[in-house]
Amino acid sequence: MGIFAVASLLGGIAWSGGSLIGFRVLQGVGAALIWPSMIGMACAAVGDSNRAFALGLIFGTCSLGNAAGPVVGGALTQWFSWRWVLWINVPLAVGAFLLTIWSVARDPKTGAEKPRNDYAGMIALTGGLVALMLVVYQVQSWGWTDPRTIGFIALALVLLGGFPFLEKRVRDPLIPMDMMQSRELQTLCFAVLVICQLFFIVLLYYTQYAMKFLGDDPMAAGLRVVTFMLSYGVVSYFGGPLSTWLGTQRLLIVGLVSAAVASIMLGVSGPGASWLPYNSLLLLLGIGVGAVIPTVSARAIETVGTDKASLVSGIIFMCQLAGAALMLAVNTAIFTAISSRHLDQLLTRNHVNLSGAEKTLLEEVITGAQNIKIFEASQPGIANLADMTQIANQAYLSGLQVVMWFSAAVIILSLLLVLRYVPGRHPPQVEVKSQG
């Protein structure tokens, strides 16, 4: 918590893009230390019979922050500065730090030998994932035959391919081999990976569309996706009772089917649809995500045992963030390729001739941070300015449509894996003996 608070404070006073990225990385380190510890403590405190309810409560509470994030962040950016998006974390983190000291007992000293840090495994896994994401992000500009692309692909293959062999040779591996070889745990990790990418898609592409083409300010753009965030939170909160009633496999199936159907339909309608169908689909998408994420964690802990709750929670958390970031890189590459190709087709079809600089600016509207209104104001000499706006809009929506359909495809693949490798059993009901 201390690392997270300090990183948030420093991130708010960042003096360059590089320093901001560095402090955000440090912030991620703090969050990565908090999450698995919190899950492990919660599972140990409530026992097996109440584990699913406790996890649902945790995820439901977290989702309230997720729901408020786009709106509060947009308001802070609009009224004050983007720096306050980071600074607001400082008093919250300090309050949580003091509350933890006051309410959570220290771990008893058992005399057992502490596990050793698997530094080789950390370097191999982190380096491999970073190299792979870098390739996916940059391949559109570098090209597949560029030495940098080939080099980073080779580095990713060596590091990720060598990771299992490294884990076999250390006493305390980062990911134990029995977990790494478990088909059920592999399937759960893949399920949470593909479902968490939807957060990035909605919070990035849908809010960007609202600001670029609908004229929304940051706060209004955040309000456009609040239905998704709130429905995710409500379903997460009731994830415990639902998993007890339906069983974790059935709840996973319901969530994955809901997310896949919503992704397909959102790909058809797009973020510019009318209010009722748009928010109905966001509601269904939030239900799907809310049904899957806490259920994956509950099922993973059920599979490996409460004594390994912190470890498996850390693995799931890694898949949520690192895996979803990798999927975001893939989605960005897909979006850029499809929207750029569609832009060229639309310009040719409408017999529009743009200079290199004009086309670059239009591409910045679609794939960059440029706003269509700023483009219109900066290019008053273009004869078909209204057509340019419509062309940019269509190109953006074509890229987003393929991204949503790709997301639906990998979610359906995850559904098939769940049906194959996650047995349909109810969580074991363990009687909790009263103390005293």
Side-chain angles (χ1 to χ4, degrees):
M1 195 68 71
I3 293 174
F4 185 84
V6 171
S8 298
L9 177 63
L10 295 175
I13 60 175
W15 54 89
S16 65
S19 64
L20 177 60
I21 291 173
F23 293 135
R24 288 286 287 165
V25 169
L26 186 62
Q27 195 180 37
V29 171
L33 293 173
I34 293 169
W35 186 258
S37 302
M38 178 180 65
I39 296 294
M41 288 188 296
C43 291
V46 302
D48 290 342
S49 63
N50 294 314
R51 180 177 57 227
F53 175 78
L55 291 175
L57 183 61
I58 290 172
F59 279 98
T61 303
C62 289
S63 67
L64 294 178
N66 291 333
V71 179
V72 175
L76 290 173
T77 302
Q78 181 180 343
W79 295 337
F80 300 101
S81 165
W82 63 266
R83 298 179 185 275
W84 281 99
V85 176
L86 295 167
W87 283 337
I88 195 175
N89 293 317
V90 177
L92 296 176
V94 171
F97 176 79
L98 296 175
L99 185 62
T100 301
I101 293 177
W102 175 68
S103 61
V104 178
R106 290 178 175 269
D107 292 335
K109 295 183 178 181
T110 60
E113 185 178 0
K114 293 183 178 180
R116 298 176 182 175
N117 291 324
D118 178 15
Y119 293 110
M122 294 178 193
I123 293 171
L125 185 59
T126 304
L129 288 173
V130 170
L132 188 58
M133 282 189 283
L134 188 61
V135 169
V136 177
Y137 272 118
Q138 296 293 337
V139 70
Q140 290 293 320
S141 56
W142 289 351
W144 286 104
T145 58
D146 188 279
R148 292 169 293 183
T149 302
I150 297 172
F152 279 112
I153 289 176
L155 179 62
L157 290 175
V158 169
L159 292 177
L160 295 178
F163 177 72
F165 298 98
L166 289 173
E167 298 303 272
K168 291 179 181 179
R169 288 165 173 76
V170 295
R171 192 192 71 178
D172 300 307
L174 188 65
I175 303 178
M177 290 306 298
D178 57 340
M179 290 189 184
M180 200 179 300
Q181 295 171 350
S182 168
R183 295 295 186 193
E184 183 173 350
L185 189 57
Q186 291 171 3
T187 299
L188 294 172
C189 288
F190 183 70
V192 79
L193 183 154
V194 300
I195 209 74
C196 281
Q197 68 171 324
L198 295 173
F199 274 108
F200 292 93
I201 293 173
V202 171
L203 293 178
L204 176 64
Y205 291 110
Y206 281 70
T207 55
Q208 284 290 312
Y209 180 84
M211 288 189 287
K212 288 180 177 183
F213 297 103
L214 302 180
D216 284 3
D217 55 44
M219 183 176 178
L223 286 170
R224 283 187 182 270
V225 300
V226 76
T227 302
F228 165 72
M229 306 303 295
L230 287 176
S231 58
Y232 156 66
V234 171
V235 175
S236 295
Y237 182 81
F238 291 103
L242 286 172
S243 63
T244 301
W245 176 48
L246 292 174
T248 48
Q249 189 217 40
R250 291 179 181 174
L251 191 54
L252 282 174
I253 292 170
V254 169
L256 291 170
V257 169
S258 300
V261 171
S263 297
I264 293 171
M265 296 306 297
L266 281 168
V268 173
S269 63
S274 57
W275 188 90
L276 183 59
Y278 171 71
N279 280 279
S280 298
L281 291 173
L282 285 183
L283 177 68
L284 182 62
L285 192 68
I287 290 172
V289 174
V292 171
I293 292 180
T295 308
V296 164
S297 293
R299 183 59 181 251
I301 295 171
E302 175 191 337
T303 300
V304 303
T306 306
D307 58 322
K308 297 180 180 178
S310 292
L311 175 60
V312 76
S313 296
I315 295 171
I316 296 296
F317 188 64
M318 178 189 69
C319 292
Q320 285 181 239
L321 297 187
L326 178 60
M327 292 300 296
L328 176 62
V330 173
N331 286 324
T332 300
I334 293 172
F335 176 83
T336 302
I338 297 298
S339 59
S340 297
R341 186 179 67 181
H342 198 63
L343 175 63
D344 291 336
Q345 292 173 347
L346 288 169
L347 291 174
T348 302
R349 188 184 308 160
N350 289 274
H351 307 290
V352 177
N353 294 316
L354 297 178
S355 66
E358 290 170 342
K359 185 179 178 184
T360 299
L361 284 174
L362 195 60
E363 289 174 341
E364 275 292 308
V365 172
I366 299 168
T367 61
Q370 185 71 273
N371 187 290
I372 192 64
K373 298 298 182 184
I374 298 176
F375 172 81
E376 291 173 349
S378 65
Q379 303 296 319
I382 296 180
N384 304 49
L385 199 54
D387 291 342
M388 292 299 96
T389 301
Q390 187 62 28
I391 286 173
N393 192 332
Q394 291 179 19
Y396 189 100
L397 291 177
S398 67
L400 183 55
Q401 182 181 70
V402 176
V403 166
M404 295 306 299
W405 287 351
F406 171 76
S407 300
V410 292
I411 290 171
I412 291 170
L413 174 59
S414 175
L415 172 63
L416 296 176
L417 292 173
V418 167
L419 291 171
R420 174 66 179 85
Y421 293 114
V422 179
R425 66 175 185 270
H426 286 264
Q429 300 300 305
V430 180
E431 182 179 354
V432 180
K433 295 181 180 180
S434 59
Q435 302 294 324

